[in-house]
Amino acid sequence: MRVGAVLAPLVACAVMSLWRESVTDSTAVLVLAAVIVAAASVGDRYAGVLAAVSSGAWFDFFLTEPYLRFTIDDPDDIGDMVLLVLIGVAVTEIALWGEREQARASRRTGYLDGVLGTAELVLATPVSVDDLIDRVTGQITEVLGVTRTRFVAGPVHDNRLAVLDHDGVVTRAGRRVDVSRDGLPTDEETALLVVRDGETLGYFVVTSATDIARPSVEQRRVAVLMADQVASLLGRRLG
């Protein structure tokens, strides 16, 4: 893809050079900016930057005097080339920002679908506790991006476990864990409590051992909501 990011401006400039007299510098800059956006959209930041630099170079070679030489005599053409590269880098960052925002929106939709699906399962009749726990276990693993998750009935007896509370905060031995920086603990597991009316009915044991997982606060709160669905069903069955 990065090779294509370098070659695409070459092809575009070579084609435009066939109509040098009718293609203005502003038109050429707009065409090359579109090529750069396309490269950034289907590639990565490096592809976008390579496309921007390549655009500036081939703009100089094909579309400024003296033609077919990497030399510019007109100061205005120098300004156009520099502007083209700067615009290219800027639109690359904008395109990547848009992709990241779209990815975040898609993840939020997926999280919401997971919570709603779990809620529907809780309300459905009949549904077994084991089926719900199996589903939520898989969802928590996916949402938090951890290695595995399992459910343990009853209160927590292992004080070594970190705890993910209902605010999405992780604490360990009474100290808050900076998940965004350090990730979830890898040397010990993390407990996500299933609480109903102040009583701990069980907890999901989250293991992050293979790779460091750094779920956002939003992801952690979604996991808590899913655990609450289990607490709701367990509370009704036990009540």
Side-chain angles (χ1 to χ4, degrees):
M1 185 54 64
R2 295 177 183 177
V3 174
V6 174
L7 294 180
L10 164 61
V11 174
C13 289
V15 171
M16 287 189 288
S17 70
L18 300 176
W19 294 276
R20 287 195 191 99
E21 301 304 323
S22 58
V23 176
T24 64
D25 287 350
S26 59
T27 299
V29 168
L30 288 175
V31 171
L32 291 171
V35 172
I36 295 166
V37 171
S41 299
V42 300
D44 54 15
R45 174 177 285 104
Y46 294 108
V49 172
L50 286 172
V53 174
S54 177
S55 294
W58 296 119
F59 175 81
D60 168 22
F61 187 81
F62 285 106
L63 301 175
T64 64
E65 295 181 350
Y67 299 121
L68 305 183
R69 291 174 58 189
F70 289 109
T71 303
I72 301 178
D73 293 335
D74 190 338
D76 290 338
D77 288 338
I78 295 176
D80 289 338
M81 187 189 72
V82 172
L83 181 62
L84 173 62
V85 174
L86 293 177
I87 289 175
V89 174
V91 297
T92 295
E93 292 301 320
I94 293 171
L96 293 173
W97 175 82
E99 288 186 355
R100 289 194 295 268
E101 289 301 307
Q102 184 177 11
R104 289 192 186 100
S106 297
R107 287 196 297 270
R108 292 189 188 102
T109 301
Y111 300 156
L112 180 59
D113 289 342
V115 173
L116 292 176
T118 302
E120 291 173 359
L121 188 62
V122 172
L123 296 174
T125 53
V127 59
S128 70
V129 174
D130 289 340
D131 287 343
L132 179 62
I133 288 175
D134 286 344
R135 174 168 179 158
V136 170
T137 296
Q139 290 176 329
I140 290 175
T141 300
E142 181 178 355
V143 167
L144 296 181
V146 295
T147 306
R148 62 181 178 274
T149 304
R150 71 182 191 278
F151 180 77
V152 178
V156 179
H157 296 293
D158 190 348
N159 294 328
R160 296 173 301 175
L161 294 177
V163 177
L164 171 57
D165 66 23
H166 274 62
D167 292 328
V169 175
V170 177
T171 57
R172 183 179 184 184
R175 296 183 177 180
R176 183 167 180 165
V177 177
D178 189 345
V179 177
S180 61
R181 185 190 66 188
D182 302 324
L184 293 173
T186 56
D187 54 344
E188 293 294 344
E189 296 173 311
T190 302
L192 171 52
L193 304 183
V194 175
V195 180
R196 178 73 170 179
D197 296 331
E199 180 185 0
T200 301
L201 305 178
Y203 55 99
F204 288 95
V205 180
V206 176
T207 303
S208 177
T210 305
D211 297 308
I212 297 177
R214 295 183 176 88
S216 65
V217 173
E218 182 181 60
Q219 289 171 283
R220 284 174 260 154
R221 286 177 175 173
V222 169
V224 169
L225 287 174
M226 291 177 176
D228 285 345
Q229 301 298 327
V230 174
S232 177
L233 182 60
L234 282 173
R236 292 206 308 266
R237 295 296 168 85
L238 294 175

